[in-house]
Amino acid sequence: MRKLENALAAAIVCLLAVLPLVFKVFQDFLQVQIPDADSGVVNLVFVYACLAGLITLQDHRHLALAALADKMPEKVRNLLHALSDGVVACFITAAFFNAVCQVINPDQLSSTAFAFPLKLYYAALPVCYILILCCAIKHTAHKIAAAVGCVAGLLIAAGPITGILYYLFGMESVPVFTQFNGVWILFTGKAFVVLVLLLVLLAFAGVPLFIILGGVSYIAFSQAGGYVDVIPLETYRILTDKSVAAIPLFTIAGYILSKGSAGRRFIAVFNAMFGWFRGGTVVATVIVLTFFTTFTGVSGVTILALGALLSVILKGSGYTENTAEALITSCSALGLMFPPSVAIIMYATTNYFSVDVMDLFKGVVLPGCLMAVVMVCAGVAYDKRRKVETFSLAALGRALKDCIGELLMPACICAGYFSGFFDLFQTAAFAVVYTFLLAVFIRKDFTIKGACEVIAESVPVSGGVLFIMGAASGVSYFMLDADVPGAFTMFITQYVSNKYVFLILMNILLLIVGCLMDIYSAILIVSPLLLPIAEVFGITAVQAGVIFLMNLSLGFLTPPVGMDLFIASYTFKKPMSTVIKGVLPFLGIQFLVLMLVTYVPWFTTVLLK
């Protein structure tokens, strides 16, 4: 079964990479218009997201907060795990019936894409939910808790089930389900805060974040009158956004590069280019780490893929082992600040009424470069070599020749996108095709089968991100519909009147958020709340976006639960205390850069003129 899922995922990725480029050739050069071209491709992305979500769950790789339950006494731990399994079963059951209700609703998704009804693509969502539910029940040690959760899910899904019975059989009233639905709406209205706090607690117990976010949105819409049908439709809307469709493709392109020989080739080039002067290896390290994180969208993947190799190079240049590993860990998230970073795309997509992705791309470049330069300078201070290798033009020439294909990739991507020749999704498709051809046919890092296995291996990375987006979209919609940003803005402006005080408070809040939440959940939930307030204080949407992204990238390094700290501890086989001690000086330096960018808007606006 798993082999079939991987093969299907790889096949969809191939279609997503090839079709946009084929359509561009037909439409721009042959003047042949393809009906429903964009709609068909983004709906394939939706199917891929559903399949990726299932695979991610099977691999136990859905994003979650630190499992604090593991540190508790055994009885408390077992109780929390049983409660968690029951909650997972409950909300997945409810989500399944809610999604099915929209499949059979004749008023929804009535058009077609590639000659197939949109309902056929959308049906992948309830299929995904029921398979996730079966998988969760199969692997849980608390079968009774899961069974109770399924029953509870049936009860809280009384509204959608009533809709299903109406659409299928014309049953306008089913007293039992109507009564249960009324009780659920009344209960959530009275216990809304308690239920949300319970879910937050379970998030810290290790429940996947997509369950937490989906549960919060289900409770929120229930207490507001039971309009839970909005949730799956919002999931469909966000995952069929053309900008979002680029996210898995960029991730896959970066994954192919990181698993092949590209890392070694890049290191050779930049080491030959900069290794002849003190601190030159740090320049090479920062550039390589930044490049790979920019395309994978996940700094942890960069640490896992290149951490050991870069550590050896830095130690060979005179750095202590702990300093080398701390420097690698501290620089791993810098790529989130450079286009076409997944985080930048997601931020612009989430706040598309306020900020354009192209403007945000321009706005982050200078702050990202400043952060990279400062990290290089910090690294130079740790370089204690008295002797350095002499510069060799011949060695540099050989390294450039050996890496020319990899070096052309970012150049082609930037030229294609910023010139307007490619849109964002076509750029991502080009990146996948380019890296695949380079790795398989030129570098011969993989066979075709091996490359497909690498693509399958990357699915849980993009799958976790996409499912988080789908689940958080319901929360975002509810907050906008209930005008939570407006109320939050009024509350803050009532007590804070100074722009600079607000900026420091925003930074503190975002550092805490970045430490406790993954960057993608934070973008979807927190950014719509903060952006309207920032605009009230005269902070442009681009500057607010840059500050937001910089804070969250620092959050990966912020003790005690910054994600990259755990990944570095695992990769370098060092205790967390050692990792944190090594990272703190670099974290402090990055914080100073953050303050500079926060209070000097020029850094984010100069390229917009």
Side-chain angles (χ1 to χ4, degrees), residues 270-604:
F270 293 116
N271 212 26
M273 193 177 294
F274 304 114
W276 54 273
F277 61 86
R278 183 181 170 186
T281 51
V282 178
V283 178
T285 298
V286 170
I287 292 174
V288 171
L289 289 170
T290 300
F291 174 81
F292 276 89
T293 301
T294 294
F295 284 94
T296 62
V298 184
S299 54
V301 170
T302 305
I303 297 174
L304 289 168
L306 299 175
L309 177 59
L310 288 170
S311 178
V312 170
I313 292 172
L314 287 171
K315 285 186 289 185
S317 298
Y319 292 87
T320 66
E321 184 175 290
N322 287 340
T323 300
E325 293 167 355
L327 184 62
I328 292 165
T329 305
S330 303
C331 295
S332 60
L334 295 182
L336 298 175
M337 296 297 298
F338 290 89
S341 162
V342 168
I344 301 173
I345 296 170
M346 186 181 293
Y347 186 93
T349 303
T350 303
N351 302 285
Y352 60 93
F353 284 122
S354 300
V355 62
D356 178 73
V357 67
M358 180 70 81
D359 288 341
L360 196 53
F361 278 165
K362 294 176 182 177
V364 299
V365 168
L366 196 54
C369 290
L370 180 62
M371 188 74 82
V373 168
V374 169
M375 289 305 296
V376 167
C377 293
V380 169
Y382 284 92
D383 191 336
K384 304 300 182 183
R385 289 182 298 170
R386 295 183 179 180
K387 294 182 179 180
V388 293
E389 298 178 6
T390 56
F391 176 74
S392 171
L393 187 60
L396 177 58
R398 288 193 298 270
L400 286 171
K401 181 180 178 182
D402 195 40
C403 191
I404 188 66
E406 287 78 6
L407 291 170
L408 283 174
M409 177 194 167
C412 292
I413 286 174
C414 291
Y417 179 68
F418 288 107
S419 68
F421 182 74
F422 286 142
D423 62 27
L424 190 61
F425 186 55
Q426 290 166 346
T427 303
F430 171 79
V432 172
V433 172
Y434 188 101
T435 53
F436 183 89
L437 295 176
L438 182 66
V440 173
F441 297 105
I442 298 176
R443 302 305 184 204
K444 301 188 184 302
D445 293 329
F446 317 105
T447 62
I448 293 178
K449 180 181 179 182
C452 290
E453 290 173 354
V454 171
I455 291 173
E457 188 180 342
S458 73
V459 167
V461 177
S462 58
V465 172
L466 292 173
F467 242 57
I468 286 279
M469 291 188 69
S473 62
V475 179
S476 299
Y477 184 93
F478 173 79
M479 291 194 301
L480 292 174
D481 187 59
D483 196 27
V484 173
F488 192 54
T489 300
M490 289 182 62
F491 175 78
I492 295 297
T493 53
Q494 182 179 355
Y495 296 99
V496 179
S497 57
N498 186 285
K499 171 183 177 179
Y500 301 103
V501 173
F502 167 74
L503 283 170
I504 192 65
L505 291 175
M506 184 171 86
N507 278 308
I508 293 170
L509 172 65
L510 288 174
L511 281 174
I512 296 171
V513 168
C515 178
L516 298 177
M517 294 178 69
D518 74 281
I519 189 169
Y520 305 111
S521 302
I523 288 171
L524 285 158
I525 296 173
V526 180
S527 67
L529 288 174
L530 286 181
L531 192 53
I533 307 175
E535 291 174 344
V536 167
F537 284 98
I539 302 164
T540 66
V542 172
Q543 185 190 2
V546 173
I547 294 171
F548 193 98
L549 294 168
M550 290 184 75
N551 270 286
L552 294 187
S553 68
L554 264 66
F556 282 114
L557 302 173
T558 305
V561 290
M563 187 183 302
D564 284 356
L565 300 176
F566 290 97
I567 294 173
S569 176
Y570 169 80
T571 302
F572 300 123
K573 298 179 174 59
K574 294 290 176 64
M576 277 287 291
S577 58
T578 302
V579 174
I580 292 172
K581 183 180 178 181
V583 162
L584 281 177
F586 297 111
L587 180 61
I589 294 168
Q590 292 185 13
F591 181 77
L592 292 177
V593 177
L594 169 64
M595 290 296 99
L596 180 63
V597 172
T598 297
Y599 288 105
V600 183
W602 178 86
F603 287 103
T604 55

Side-chain angles (χ1 to χ4, degrees), residues 90-91 93-95 151-161 180-181 184 218-219 222 228:
C90 174
F91 284 109
T93 300
V151 173
L154 281 169
L155 297 179
I156 70 173
I161 291 173
F180 270 122
N181 190 45
W184 168 244
Y218 199 91
I219 292 168
S222 295
V228 293

